[in-house]
Amino acid sequence: MRHNLLSAGSALTVLEAAARHRSAGDLLVCVAGGPPPGDGTDRPAAGRPTASGTGFAADLVLYADAPDEAGSEVVVEAMARLGLDAAQCFAYGDHREGLTILRVVGNPRVVGRDPLMTELARDRGWPVLHTAQY
């Protein structure tokens, strides 16, 4: 089972951020909960992997058994294998399940209006990207 951690409003905000990263030439990596589908790829027509249900076209999709601790371990391992500097990496999250991933990158972004997430962002000095209210 895959978990889409982004609500409708935050998904649009993250897609807009992904478009900005893509235009800057950044590597786009998506972390999806659950096992990979079939052969480990989920490819849209354009040939880029995507996390099912998000519409997010990524250069690489990483799968974690759960979006919490397992997700952060997958991200840390990917950064090491790809030779990425955590200080240059961004992560976007709108639910507490994604907090561990936000904590391992240098540029965490909280998306939406979840009270726990916005309080944590304020305490840690993380930017909050607000979304339309649904």
Side-chain angles (χ1 to χ4, degrees), residues 33-74:
D39 66 353
T41 63
D42 185 5
R43 299 191 181 279
R48 290 196 186 274
T50 185
S52 187
T54 66
F56 179 83
D59 296 307
L60 174 65
V61 178
L62 304 175
Y63 292 91
D65 292 333
D68 49 18
E69 287 300 324
S72 64
E73 291 170 8
V74 167

Side-chain angles (χ1 to χ4, degrees), residues 70-129:
S72 64
E73 291 170 8
V74 167
V75 170
V76 169
E77 182 179 341
M79 287 187 295
R81 287 184 180 210
L82 295 169
L84 302 175
D85 179 359
Q88 300 299 315
C89 294
F90 287 76
Y92 299 84
D94 68 350
H95 288 89
R96 63 191 71 188
E97 290 88 357
L99 282 175
T100 59
I101 293 173
L102 293 177
R103 290 179 177 136
V104 298
V105 300
N107 297 283
R109 302 292 188 257
V110 169
V111 182
R113 294 179 165 87
D114 179 279
L116 172 77
M117 296 293 286
T118 55
E119 180 180 341
L120 181 66
R122 184 181 61 245
D123 292 347
R124 294 184 177 227
W126 296 348
V128 176
L129 306 176

